Amino acid sequence: MPDAVAPEGRRLLRVEARNAQTPIERKPGWLRTRAVVTDTYQDVRGLVRSHGLHTVCAEANCPNVYECWNDREASFLVGGSICTRRCDFCDIATGRPTEYDPDEPARVAASIREMRLRYATVTGVSRDDLPDGGAWLYAETARQVHEQVPGCGIELLVPDFRGHPESLQEVFSSRPEVFAHNLETVPRIFKQIRPAFSYAGSLDVLARASQAGLLTKSNLILGMGEIREEIEQAIADLVSVGVNILTLTQYLRPSKLHHPVDRWVKPQEFLELAALAEDRGIDAVMSGPMVRSSYRSGMLWARAMRATGREIPANMRDLAEPSTARQEAAALLAAGTAAGSAADRATPSPVGRAAS
């Protein structure tokens, strides 16, 4: 039997005890990244350190920080560090939040200004303890960024706010460049992975944002027990509610207490799914094992802007130039780092077992 107590001293949840019975999976050799340090990266890092600024990129040790900071993109977390919900893939602590700082939006905007960013993503924990679910924090952050850093794009990656219309309208009214809400997985295993969320509810949030005239974005994590046909249906569902931007990524297990990895999805399948999503109507797709939902967000936004015929500000037009990000499956396959050999890459990836 696994230990009955988590590292921080609390008793294990039943799902955590069950997860802990499966040892941490060994990553395949082709699932790796490398650091490319540029002058721009060094400049952003220096600003972060000298001003004591806080980003998800640095504090979560994201392996893609070099590439994003090189394009002056970064991600920020608002609303504290404790979430009122528990998702079986997520490493954020769950409990009763105590932090709520109404000055946080102004500080985040000031950090973005100090870092001289041109595109920023703001995400946060679920705050079901607050009447508005934390909607004002997101909206006010977008408003502060637009005021303090003219020309900087802002993407809000938000929870579902329990579907409350007033909370959603508060966020819509701030007019972020992108409204993002992550679907994450397929209906059959959704409640197992995200018990406090609803598949239909998440789709409804995205539909309402699309109806409000915002560019919308979502994410699907692969390797948690879904099968190929279910992924394709989830993509179709996202298309049906007007989602413009999609990221597809490999699940990486944060600890033994989290959901076990069902399979390692090869870059060739990520490439196929990206093509399928674009064929079905998604305007901009980024797909690969090490892609994350906020990875190269500015580049994805620019692709979607170009695809939808919207005007891109002059200082961002280079992001819309045709290019491939380092972690996209196409780049991995072209570099020959994908699955070891040409023969292996030519073999379709296993569909994976269906979770019970």
Side-chain angles (χ1 to χ4, degrees):
M1 287 290 293
D3 294 336
V5 178
E8 62 271 25
R10 63 173 176 81
R11 289 190 62 82
L12 291 181
L13 301 173
R14 186 176 300 175
V15 65
E16 293 173 327
R18 183 174 67 244
N19 290 341
Q21 295 178 40
T22 302
I24 291 288
E25 302 81 5
R26 183 176 181 180
K27 298 179 181 66
W30 48 265
L31 187 62
R32 63 181 185 271
T33 188
R34 62 188 178 89
V36 178
V37 179
T38 64
D39 290 342
T40 305
Y41 166 81
Q42 296 278 37
D43 180 41
V44 173
R45 186 180 67 169
L47 287 167
V48 169
R49 290 181 173 179
S50 64
H51 292 276
L53 308 177
H54 300 285
T55 66
V56 176
C57 320
E59 291 169 36
N61 296 313
C62 178
N64 299 322
V65 62
Y66 305 94
E67 193 176 355
C68 292
W69 283 11
N70 185 55
D71 263 342
R72 294 196 178 275
E73 300 176 22
S75 297
F76 297 82
L77 186 74
V78 298
S81 58
I82 299 177
C83 187
T84 55
R85 308 187 195 182
R86 183 192 181 277
C87 295
D88 206 21
F89 63 87
C90 183
D91 200 24
I92 291 177
T94 303
R96 182 175 298 174
T98 57
E99 307 163 56
Y100 182 82
D101 183 357
D103 293 328
E104 187 172 37
R107 288 205 319 278
V108 169
S111 295
I112 289 170
R113 185 182 65 241
E114 292 283 353
M115 293 170 69
R116 300 196 292 273
L117 299 182
R118 56 178 181 169
Y119 197 91
T121 299
V122 171
T123 187
V125 296
S126 292
R127 292 296 304 255
D128 296 322
D129 59 310
L130 301 174
D132 71 345
W136 181 85
L137 277 176
Y138 291 99
E140 183 62 14
T141 301
R143 288 189 285 261
Q144 287 285 337
V145 170
H146 286 150
E147 180 180 338
Q148 293 192 40
V149 200
C152 179
I154 182 74
E155 178 168 313
L156 299 181
L157 172 55
V158 304
D160 61 5
F161 305 117
R162 301 290 190 195
H164 292 158
E166 298 83 1
S167 296
L168 290 169
Q169 187 55 47
E170 173 73 12
V171 177
F172 298 163
S173 70
S174 69
R175 309 309 295 178
E177 273 63 35
V178 170
F179 175 95
H181 174 71
N182 289 342
L183 190 61
E184 308 292 27
T185 192
V186 303
R188 179 176 52 81
I189 59 174
F190 194 92
K191 279 299 179 185
Q192 178 185 354
I193 303 297
R194 309 199 80 194
F197 289 83
S198 156
Y199 185 87
S202 286
L203 288 175
D204 183 61
V205 166
L206 290 161
R208 290 197 236 176
S210 294
Q211 292 160 8
L214 297 170
L215 279 178
T216 53
K217 177 179 179 180
S218 197
N219 179 68
L220 289 172
I221 305 172
L222 310 186
M224 294 196 292
E226 75 293 328
I227 61 174
R228 175 65 176 261
E229 291 78 9
E230 293 173 319
I231 302 168
E232 294 183 10
Q233 183 57 56
I235 291 172
D237 291 340
L238 290 168
V239 171
S240 74
V241 295
V243 167
N244 303 100
I245 303 169
L246 176 64
T247 50
L248 297 158
T249 184
Q250 167 71 54
Y251 172 55
L252 298 178
R253 190 180 182 188
S255 79
K256 69 177 183 178
L257 303 184
H258 291 82
H259 189 76
V261 175
D262 178 76
R263 64 178 177 131
W264 300 107
V265 183
K266 293 178 181 177
Q268 181 62 40
E269 184 172 354
F270 277 107
L271 189 66
E272 294 165 2
L273 289 169
L276 180 145
E278 290 175 344
D279 287 345
R280 290 193 175 181
I282 301 290
D283 296 308
V285 181
M286 200 163 282
S287 178
M290 294 295 287
V291 167
R292 292 296 175 263
S293 62
S294 59
Y295 171 67
R296 301 309 305 275
S297 293
M299 176 186 284
L300 265 176
W301 164 79
R303 287 182 186 177
M305 292 285 283
R306 184 182 61 208
T308 55
R310 306 188 192 196
E311 185 177 357
I312 303 171
N315 69 314
M316 307 277 269
R317 285 177 189 157
D318 63 299
L319 291 175
E321 294 297 322
S323 62
T324 304
R326 187 176 296 120
Q327 296 301 343
E328 288 190 85
L332 298 179
L333 289 167
T337 62
S341 68
D344 188 36
R345 292 196 298 271
T347 303
S349 297
V351 169
R353 65 183 185 276
S356 59

